[in-house]
């Protein structure tokens, strides 16, 4: 999302134009299949909960019938892609299935994202930059659970339907980083004996930062018998340990481009009062 604020055109090209190209190629391919092969074919579109906009603290979670209200260029580009997928199903009969998932975390996540960024900054002894007051809420979904859900939807989802995928783990950003620091205090303590929490630094919020996301995943649970199996606490510990044990992979993705992005997005950002 941060990248879309600095360069929205790239996301329009990838998510809107790119999805349109994929749909058209899939339609041409599907048209040439036999009837039996057409019945087995699926076009699976993986989207995000950000298309629904922002929730108030007491609002019910997003469901598949929640109105779209994207608040960032990234969310708007994904919403446009969702609408194209729906249109290709209703206009051409292309058997599409869409999933809208909550925040993923786990191994191999690019370290500009909240959890790996905080792990690596903590290990390197640099500040842990927290947007705004740290009270923005997200529903956290372990990547392994998301992968299982995608496989289930691909195999058993009904064409033309949308399935929301959530982790049943709403946390504020501050709660996430505090829990992460507690794990690091145990497995990679600081040399000075202080908690990693002392390096949390509140910085100016990013534009269009939605306050809360939450997912109602009852449809996929009821129809397809899927539910998350990883608790946030155990998934977070697995994630922290993975990054600590895979420093070579981390160094491999921390290229000059990555460093330039971190400098552009965080370095010099005004500290919140």
């Amino acid at each position: 999302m941060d990248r879309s604020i600095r360069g929205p055109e790239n996301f329009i090209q990838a998510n809107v134009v790119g999805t349109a190209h994929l749909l058209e190629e899939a339609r041409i391919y599907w048209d040439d299949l036999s009837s039996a092969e057409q019945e087995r074919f699926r076009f699976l579109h993986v989207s995000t909960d950000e298309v629904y906009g922002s929730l108030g603290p007491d609002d019910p979670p997003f469901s598949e019938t929640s109105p779209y209200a994207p608040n960032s260029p990234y969310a708007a580009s994904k919403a446009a892609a969702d609408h194209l997928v729906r249109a290709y199903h209703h206009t051409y009969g292309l058997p599409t299935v869409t999933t809208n998932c909550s925040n993923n975390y786990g191994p191999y996540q690019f370290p500009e994202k909240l959890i790996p960024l905080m792990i690596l900054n903590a290990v390197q002894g640099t500040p842990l930059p927290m947007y705004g007051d740290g009270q923005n809420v997200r529903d956290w979904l372990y990547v392994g659970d998301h992968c299982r859900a995608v496989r289930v939807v691909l195999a058993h989802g009904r064409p033309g339907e949308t399935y929301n995928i959530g982790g049943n783990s709403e946390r504020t950003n501050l709660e996430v980083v505090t829990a992460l620091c507690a794990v690091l205090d145990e497995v990679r303590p600081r040399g000075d004996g202080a908690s990693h929490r002392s390096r949390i630094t509140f910085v100016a919020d990013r534009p269009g930062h939605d306050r809360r996301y939450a997912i109602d995943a009852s449809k996929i649970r009821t129809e397809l018998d899927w539910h998350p199996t990883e608790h946030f606490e155990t998934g977070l510990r697995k994630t922290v340990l993975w990054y600590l044990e895979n420093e070579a992979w981390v160094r491999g993705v921390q290229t000059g481009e990555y460093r330039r992005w971190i400098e552009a997005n965080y370095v010099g950002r005004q500290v919140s009062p």
Side-chain angles (χ1 to χ4, degrees), residues 161-175:
E161 291 295 318
T162 295
Y163 296 90
N164 282 353
I165 305 171
N168 295 333
S169 296
E170 284 189 63
R171 301 287 192 284
T172 67
N173 288 344
L174 184 57
E175 287 173 333

Side-chain angles (χ1 to χ4, degrees), residues 71-85:
N71 291 320
S72 72
Y74 167 73
S77 70
K78 293 297 286 185
D82 291 7
H83 292 319
L84 283 170
V85 172

